[in-house]
Amino acid sequence: MKELIINADDFGLSRGANKGIISAWHEGILTSTSLMVGGSGFEEAVALAGENPGLQVGLHLTLVQGRAVAGHPGFPSLVDREGNFPNDPVMAGMRYFFLKSLRKQLYREIEAQIQKFLATGIPLSHIDGHLNIHMHPVVFDILLELMPRYGIASFRLSRERLFTDLAIDRRRVMGKAADAFIFSRLARRCEPELTVRSISHTDEVKGLLNSGRMTEDYLLRALDSLDEGVTEIYFHPGCHPCDELKKWMPDYQHEGELAALTSPAVKEKLKNMGITLRNYRGERKTYA
């Protein structure tokens, strides 16, 4: 049996992101989304989630390219003077790994983001991370302590088959190879710890290697490569004009990804293949 979770990242980033996600929920195959609690569109996203209780919402942990929720005075600090995280994910990852003095700040920030989410009253279904920062070894070890404490029972275990993706889209071969290698190693480290704590995850995640270019054509071909079990495919739908989307993801095809999620051809293919749409709670969604 093939089951599919369709997730949209960056809920709460901006009005353009929010509009795209809600359109994908109402008109398309979206089953869940992940909320950025420090985003400029956070309040609007919370209101929209309240108006759409069937849309499952998780936490999109943000520790790069965004604004902190907690204060972090002192030096070295997790953030700059304006409270912003580093923009470069590689630099951020190196700082978080090698500067042990930042670990207490990371703990405080991660817990603050979880608490801000829970304060909305929205049930927290799962946790993932902006640019998959939740898989970072230091961040993951903090989450291992916090997830059971706050009742978080589902986690995005980001790993994707390289050659399956390259059979669909051969752009960025070296970059994809590096990403696939790094995240397969990280997933190998994470998976046993999740199992011990009974924290669930899907069998595979798609969207990691072709992030920002999950178009209708790509999705139609990717469905042919689904294995048995539960797969998550994540997207970044959005509506332009939107300054925030343009600033952070100038090369992403936000409207193209929204078109893929609402495509009649995609819905028809899902029906014909007998693929079940569901969310992290196991609740099913119809293709209509």
Side-chain angles (χ1 to χ4, degrees):
M1 184 176 182
K2 297 180 181 180
E3 296 184 298
L4 191 56
I5 295 171
I6 304 289
N7 193 82
D9 287 3
D10 299 344
F11 195 38
L13 172 67
S14 65
R15 295 195 69 179
N18 292 345
K19 183 177 180 181
I21 289 166
I22 293 301
S23 294
W25 164 248
H26 281 299
E27 303 166 25
I29 60 173
L30 193 73
T31 64
S32 65
T33 188
S34 303
L35 178 64
M36 301 177 79
V37 299
S40 63
F42 168 72
E43 298 293 344
E44 180 189 54
V46 171
L48 289 168
E51 296 167 7
N52 298 275
L55 176 62
Q56 190 181 68
V57 185
L59 173 63
H60 199 50
L61 182 67
T62 305
L63 300 169
V64 62
Q65 295 183 1
R67 188 171 182 82
V69 168
H72 302 287
F75 181 85
S77 176
L78 200 62
V79 296
D80 63 17
R81 292 181 180 180
E82 286 72 45
N84 297 311
F85 298 116
N87 290 339
D88 184 340
V90 175
M91 184 189 76
M94 297 287 281
R95 291 184 80 235
Y96 300 161
F97 189 82
F98 289 108
L99 294 182
K100 293 186 178 180
S101 58
L102 292 180
R103 295 188 181 184
K104 288 185 178 179
Q105 295 181 49
L106 279 168
Y107 191 104
R108 183 164 65 249
E109 178 64 28
I110 292 168
E111 186 168 35
Q113 291 191 28
I114 293 172
Q115 291 174 341
K116 184 171 181 179
F117 185 109
L118 294 175
T120 67
I122 302 168
L124 201 169
S125 68
H126 64 278
I127 192 162
D128 54 45
H130 191 51
L131 302 181
N132 289 289
I133 194 66
H134 65 301
M135 298 282 287
H136 186 286
V138 174
V139 174
F140 179 74
D141 288 348
I142 294 170
L143 287 171
L144 284 180
E145 181 176 342
L146 292 175
M147 286 189 291
R149 181 184 303 174
Y150 288 99
I152 301 170
S154 297
F155 180 91
R156 176 188 288 166
L157 188 64
S158 305
R159 58 182 174 188
E160 185 171 3
R161 291 170 288 156
L162 173 63
F163 294 108
T164 302
D165 173 80
L166 290 178
I168 304 171
D169 187 325
R170 294 195 60 81
R171 287 176 294 182
R172 211 176 65 85
V173 174
M174 296 305 295
K176 288 182 177 183
D179 288 344
F181 175 76
I182 291 167
F183 281 98
S184 68
R185 295 293 296 271
L186 291 174
R188 194 178 306 166
R189 178 180 185 270
C190 295
E191 187 170 18
E193 300 294 340
L194 296 172
T195 300
V196 167
R197 291 161 179 80
S198 299
I199 296 171
S200 68
H201 58 82
T202 62
D203 298 296
E204 186 182 13
V205 170
K206 293 183 181 293
L208 172 67
L209 301 181
N210 210 54
S211 188
R213 297 175 296 278
M214 302 294 286
T215 60
E216 178 187 50
D217 179 66
Y218 183 94
L219 180 55
L220 287 169
R221 298 177 67 188
L223 292 176
D224 290 325
S225 69
L226 290 185
D227 278 343
E228 298 292 320
V230 183
T231 301
E232 177 189 352
I233 307 181
Y234 69 87
F235 295 78
H236 298 83
C239 296
H240 287 285
C242 177
D243 291 341
E244 287 282 300
L245 292 178
K246 184 177 180 180
K247 173 184 177 182
W248 294 117
M249 294 163 278
D251 299 327
Y252 276 32
Q253 299 179 37
H254 296 99
E255 293 181 324
E257 295 203 1
L258 174 57
L261 291 170
T262 56
S263 163
V266 169
K267 294 177 185 177
E268 186 65 24
K269 184 156 190 170
L270 287 168
K271 285 182 183 178
N272 292 338
M273 294 182 68
I275 296 172
T276 300
L277 286 180
R278 52 163 284 189
N279 58 26
Y280 274 96
R281 284 191 293 259
E283 299 164 345
R284 296 186 177 187
K285 180 174 181 177
T286 62
Y287 304 110

